[in-house]
Amino acid sequence: MERENMEEGLITPPSTASSLTPLLVFSTFVAVCGSFCYGCALGYSATAESGIRDDLGLSVAEYSVFGSIMTVGGMVGAIISGKIADLIGRKGTMWFSEVFCTAGWLTITFAKNALCLDIGRLLIGIGVAIICYVVPVYIAEITPTSHRGSFASANQLMITFGFALVYFIGTFISWRIVAMMSAVPCVVQIIGLFFIPESPRWLAKFGQEKDFEAALTRLRGKNADISEEAAEIRDYMETLEQQKKASFLELFQMKYANSLIVGVGLMILQQLGGINAIGYYASNIYEEAGISSTLGLQVSALVQIPAAVVGLFLTDRSGRRPLLLVSASGMCFSCFLIALSFCLKIFPINVKAQAGSLVTLVNWSFSWIITYCFNFMMEWSSAGTFFIFCGVGGLTVLFVAKLVPETKGRTLEEIQASITPIL
C-alpha cells in the first residue's frame, strides 16, 4: 500500500477530501486556458496556409518551415519543462509558458515576412510544450482523488475545443485576426494566475508548510478537514526524499527496456503515421483531393469535439489498449492524447521525470520530421503519402496488440510490475 501511494503521489497527492469548491473549479479553468492555447496552435497552420502564402508570397518550402518549426520549439520546451516546474512552481511555469505563447501569437499577427512568422511559431512551440507538461500536473495535484479523472479530462477537451474553433473560424476570418484571437486565452491565464493557489504538493516539497496548509484549505474549503490529506502528502514527501535520485542515463538499463520500447515506440509510430502533419496541412489535403477546403475544415471542426468526448468516455470503460488499436486503425485525433497519458504510467517512480522528458522530446522531434516533409511528400505523390501513413497505422496496430499492456483497473504498481520485470 505504501508503494502504491508513492506511485500515485508522483503527480497526484493522496486525498481524502472530496468536496468541490468554486476555487477548485476556477483554478482548473485558469489552467486549461493553456490547453486551449495549445489546441489553437495545433490547428492554426491548416486554416492559415492559403492566406499567409497569398499575402506574404511564401513558397512551399517556406511554409513547410513555418508549419513545422513549432515542433522545434517543442523540443526545447520539452527539455526544460520539468526542471522549470520544480524550480519556480506550477503557477510560475504556466505564467512563463504563456509569456512565450503571447509573444508568439502577437509576432505572427503583425508579421511582415517569413522570418517573423517563423520566430512567432517557434516561441509558441516552446510555450505549448511547457503547457503540455505543467497543466496536467497542476490539475492532478490540486484535485481530490475522487474527482481527478473528470477534472483531468478538461485538459484534453480544451485542447480539442481550441483545435476545433481555429479550424472553424479560420475558414472565414483573416489569419492575422485568428492569431490575435488565439492570444486571448494566454492573457486570460496570465491574469487568472494571480487569483489561484500554488500546487499544495509543490509547496510541501519545498518545505513551505504555512503556504502548503493555506493552499490546501483554500482548495478544499474553510470547513473541510484537511488533516488526513495533509499528513499523507507529508508522508509521501518524506519517502520521496529517501529515494535515490535517478540520472538520465539510468533510463537505458535493461530493466527499463520494455518501458522505453513501449513509450518511445508509441510516440514514433503516431508521428510517422502522419497525425500532426494531417492536422497542420488539412487545408492543402482537401484541395489536393478536390474537396472544398472551407467545407472540409468546418466538418472536421464539428467532428472533433464529439469524437473527443466519446474517446474520453470510453477510456476508463473500454481501456486504453483497445482504444489505441482502434485509433491506430482510424487515425483519429485522440491517438496522441491516449498515447501520452499511457506513457506517463508505464515508468517506475525513480525514472518517471527523465522518461517523461525523453518521450516528449522524441514525440516533438518526429513531429518536426513529418510536418516538415509532408508538403514535399504530397508533391511527390498524394496517394503514396497516405499509403505510407496507412502502413504505419497497420504497424501501430501490431505494436499495440503485441507489446502494450492494458492499464484499465490496475494500479500503477501492477502496470509497472508487468512491464518492468526487475526493479
Side-chain angles (χ1 to χ4, degrees):
M1 179 62 70
E2 180 181 349
R3 184 176 177 184
E4 181 178 336
N5 286 339
M6 286 169 53
E7 302 284 5
E8 289 281 350
L10 180 67
I11 62 170
T12 308
S15 174
T16 56
S18 60
S19 60
L20 292 177
T21 63
L23 181 62
L24 178 62
V25 175
F26 179 70
S27 298
T28 303
F29 166 76
V30 171
V32 297
C33 283
S35 307
F36 190 89
C37 172
Y38 177 41
C40 292
L42 287 174
Y44 181 76
S45 62
T47 59
E49 181 171 3
S50 59
I52 289 178
R53 291 187 63 184
D54 290 342
D55 291 351
L56 301 183
L58 269 62
S59 66
V60 172
E62 288 174 324
Y63 195 81
S64 294
V65 171
F66 170 73
S68 63
I69 201 169
M70 186 177 83
T71 59
V72 177
M75 297 178 208
V76 177
I79 293 171
I80 65 176
S81 57
K83 292 291 186 182
I84 292 177
D86 277 346
L87 182 64
I88 64 176
R90 313 319 190 200
K91 281 180 58 179
T93 303
M94 286 188 281
W95 185 88
F96 182 75
S97 67
E98 291 298 12
V99 169
F100 280 96
C101 290
T102 304
W105 285 121
L106 293 179
T107 302
I108 291 175
T109 299
F110 299 105
K112 299 297 184 183
N113 51 50
L115 178 61
C116 290
L117 286 174
D118 294 342
I119 292 173
R121 188 80 166 164
L122 181 69
L123 292 174
I124 292 171
I126 296 172
V128 297
I130 298 172
I131 286 170
C132 286
Y133 175 82
V134 72
V135 169
V137 169
Y138 178 77
I139 293 174
E141 290 180 349
I142 67 172
T143 51
T145 302
S146 56
H147 297 292
R148 188 177 68 233
S150 58
F151 274 73
S153 68
N155 173 55
Q156 300 178 15
L157 283 174
M158 288 300 281
I159 293 174
T160 304
F161 286 160
F163 183 88
L165 179 64
V166 168
Y167 253 43
F168 191 82
I169 67 173
T171 58
F172 55 85
I173 293 179
S174 164
W175 59 273
R176 294 187 188 273
I177 296 177
V178 174
M180 179 71 77
M181 292 175 62
S182 298
V184 172
C186 305
V187 176
V188 171
Q189 186 178 59
I190 289 173
I191 296 173
L193 286 170
F194 289 102
F195 303 98
I196 65 175
E198 179 57 87
S199 161
R201 179 185 180 275
W202 183 84
L203 293 170
K205 180 178 181 180
F206 289 92
Q208 300 181 34
E209 281 294 316
K210 290 184 179 179
D211 292 336
F212 158 61
E213 292 187 359
L216 195 58
T217 300
R218 289 180 65 195
L219 288 166
R220 300 295 178 260
K222 291 182 179 180
N223 298 324
D225 182 6
I226 65 167
S227 57
E228 186 175 349
E229 181 178 5
E232 290 175 342
I233 294 174
R234 291 190 185 97
D235 289 343
Y236 167 72
M237 290 304 164
E238 291 177 3
T239 306
L240 186 63
E241 288 295 323
Q242 299 171 4
Q243 299 295 313
K244 178 184 177 183
K245 190 171 183 179
S247 67
F248 184 80
L249 293 178
E250 287 188 35
L251 271 177
F252 300 96
Q253 296 179 34
M254 282 301 298
K255 61 182 178 181
Y256 302 130
N258 290 343
S259 297
L260 276 178
I261 290 171
V262 172
V264 174
L266 283 173
M267 290 300 173
I268 291 176
L269 287 170
Q270 67 156 354
Q271 292 301 339
L272 292 181
I275 187 169
N276 274 1
I278 293 171
Y280 286 5
Y281 303 114
S283 177
N284 186 48
I285 293 171
Y286 287 125
E287 290 178 357
E288 289 285 337
I291 301 172
S292 167
S293 60
T294 299
L295 177 62
L297 290 171
Q298 289 178 348
V299 171
S300 297
L302 294 175
V303 169
Q304 288 294 332
I305 294 175
V309 172
V310 171
L312 290 170
F313 178 78
L314 291 175
T315 296
D316 287 330
R317 289 163 177 78
S318 301
R320 289 166 177 79
R321 189 170 182 269
L323 282 184
L324 280 171
L325 290 168
V326 173
S327 63
S329 302
M331 278 298 296
C332 69
F333 179 68
S334 60
C335 179
F336 170 74
L337 300 175
I338 298 169
L340 182 57
S341 66
F342 176 82
C343 289
L344 291 175
K345 293 186 174 187
I346 61 176
F347 293 99
I349 187 172
N350 59 320
V351 295
K352 194 182 290 280
Q354 294 86 348
S357 294
L358 175 63
V359 168
T360 307
L361 177 61
V362 168
N363 177 68
W364 283 101
S365 299
F366 276 82
S367 177
W368 173 79
I369 293 171
I370 295 300
T371 52
Y372 179 75
C373 296
F374 180 78
N375 281 331
F376 300 106
M377 293 172 66
M378 289 290 286
E379 287 189 340
W380 161 67
S381 172
S382 299
T385 298
F386 285 92
F387 276 126
I388 292 173
F389 290 161
C390 178
V392 174
L395 289 175
T396 306
V397 172
L398 294 175
F399 182 87
V400 174
K402 295 294 185 182
L403 296 177
V404 179
E406 181 53 78
T407 63
K408 178 188 175 185
R410 305 172 73 185
T411 65
L412 293 177
E413 184 180 62
E414 291 170 341
I415 297 168
Q416 292 158 9
S418 68
I419 201 169
T420 309
I422 304 175
L423 290 178

